[in-house]
Amino acid sequence: MSLSFAEENYLKAIYLLSKNGTETVSTNAISEMLQTRPASVSDMIRKLSNKGVILYQKYQGVSISEEGKIMALRVIRKHRLWEVFLVEKLKFNWDEVHEVAEQLEHIRSPLLIRRLDEFLGFPKYDPHGEPIPDEAGIIQEKKSIMLSEVAEMIQGIVCAVNDSNPLFLKYLDRMGIYIGAGVRVVEKIDFDGSMVVLIDNKQKVSISREVCENLWLSI
């Protein structure tokens, strides 16, 4: 069974919103993530349900079927491999790759993706620290902790970001924060949840609670 590009985009969104297929997702959440009208979401849910890749019951939300998970992971695998290629081989910045990878992820050739994976040295994570599913759909998760939960004077390595919005990634660039950066929590501000952190043992910066909740460290 094949899906259209739009159907793949919806299926991928449902998988990600469902926390890797473990929870149900509301139609409003899908509409918000894809920035489309609720009526369009309802139409697409009907199509995907008829194809058996999602399960939908009125007022109970959307869940993804086992077949749907397999198909969503294939799209995610292609997207993240292309992001690695764009950053490592074509020298894109990490804030420039998402939209390009959104187009490349729909390429149908399994052989091309297999060769791409081999060419890149079988990477486990994309430029934003997200795990890349292998050909069997298996994901190697990192042990990590959200920066907002890290105690004062504890240090870790930035291993992932929750938000791949280009504006957020450019902000991190200005702060000197990147995947692999060393971060030590110097001070936690109880009033607003912000932090003062030391980056790579060189530069102290103050970051907001929102940023702290979008950065993950390996300790």
Side-chain angles (χ1 to χ4, degrees):
M1 178 183 59
S2 64
L3 301 179
S4 69
F5 292 177
E7 288 170 338
E8 286 185 342
N9 286 336
Y10 269 84
L11 190 62
K12 182 180 69 170
I14 292 167
Y15 177 84
L16 295 173
L17 286 168
S18 69
K19 297 185 178 178
N20 302 341
T22 61
E23 298 180 2
T24 58
V25 179
S26 71
T27 55
N28 285 339
I30 299 169
S31 177
E32 183 177 343
M33 184 174 189
L34 295 176
Q35 297 183 329
T36 190
R37 296 180 299 111
S40 299
V41 174
S42 297
D43 289 343
M44 182 59 75
I45 285 173
R46 196 175 304 111
K47 291 179 183 178
L48 294 175
S49 181
N50 289 338
K51 291 188 175 185
V53 294
I54 65 166
L55 307 171
Y56 175 67
Q57 288 185 318
K58 200 171 183 180
Y59 307 120
Q60 295 186 26
V62 178
S63 58
I64 193 165
S65 69
E66 287 303 314
E67 184 177 6
K69 288 180 187 178
I70 292 169
M71 299 186 78
L73 283 166
R74 285 176 187 161
V75 178
I76 290 168
R77 167 176 163 78
K78 289 186 285 185
H79 182 101
R80 293 176 180 173
L81 282 172
W82 283 119
E83 287 194 336
V84 175
F85 175 78
L86 291 167
V87 169
E88 291 190 358
K89 305 303 179 181
L90 299 187
K91 307 306 178 185
F92 279 69
N93 292 329
W94 67 337
D95 59 277
E96 298 174 325
V97 296
H98 182 73
E99 288 189 6
V100 181
E102 285 279 296
Q103 301 171 53
L104 293 170
E105 71 185 23
H106 299 296
I107 291 174
R108 303 291 188 191
S109 171
L111 178 59
L112 173 61
I113 301 307
R114 200 174 300 127
R115 295 280 175 84
L116 177 64
D117 194 15
E118 181 180 6
F119 175 68
L120 295 172
F122 306 102
K124 301 298 182 186
Y125 304 97
D126 75 8
H128 310 113
E130 294 288 350
I132 300 173
D134 67 14
E135 199 168 5
I138 297 171
I139 293 177
Q140 182 176 315
E141 297 283 1
K142 293 178 181 177
K143 290 184 178 179
S144 59
I145 182 172
M146 190 182 294
L147 176 56
S148 59
E149 299 175 358
V150 176
E152 288 184 351
M153 304 315 296
I154 299 298
Q155 180 166 325
I157 303 296
V158 177
C159 63
V161 295
N162 273 351
D163 190 349
S164 58
N165 182 299
L167 293 177
F168 177 63
L169 298 178
K170 287 177 182 177
Y171 170 81
L172 294 182
D173 283 338
R174 289 198 299 272
M175 294 295 103
I177 298 172
Y178 56 94
I179 301 297
V183 174
R184 180 186 295 276
V185 178
V186 176
E187 184 180 5
K188 300 182 75 169
I189 312 299
D190 292 333
F191 172 68
D192 60 2
S194 63
M195 286 184 176
V196 177
V197 298
L198 181 65
I199 308 298
D200 288 335
N201 291 318
K202 296 176 182 177
Q203 179 183 3
K204 280 186 183 180
V205 297
S206 178
I207 54 178
S208 69
R209 179 176 181 172
E210 183 177 1
V211 172
C212 295
E213 291 177 346
N214 277 288
L215 286 175
W216 291 81
L217 303 186
S218 57
I219 303 298

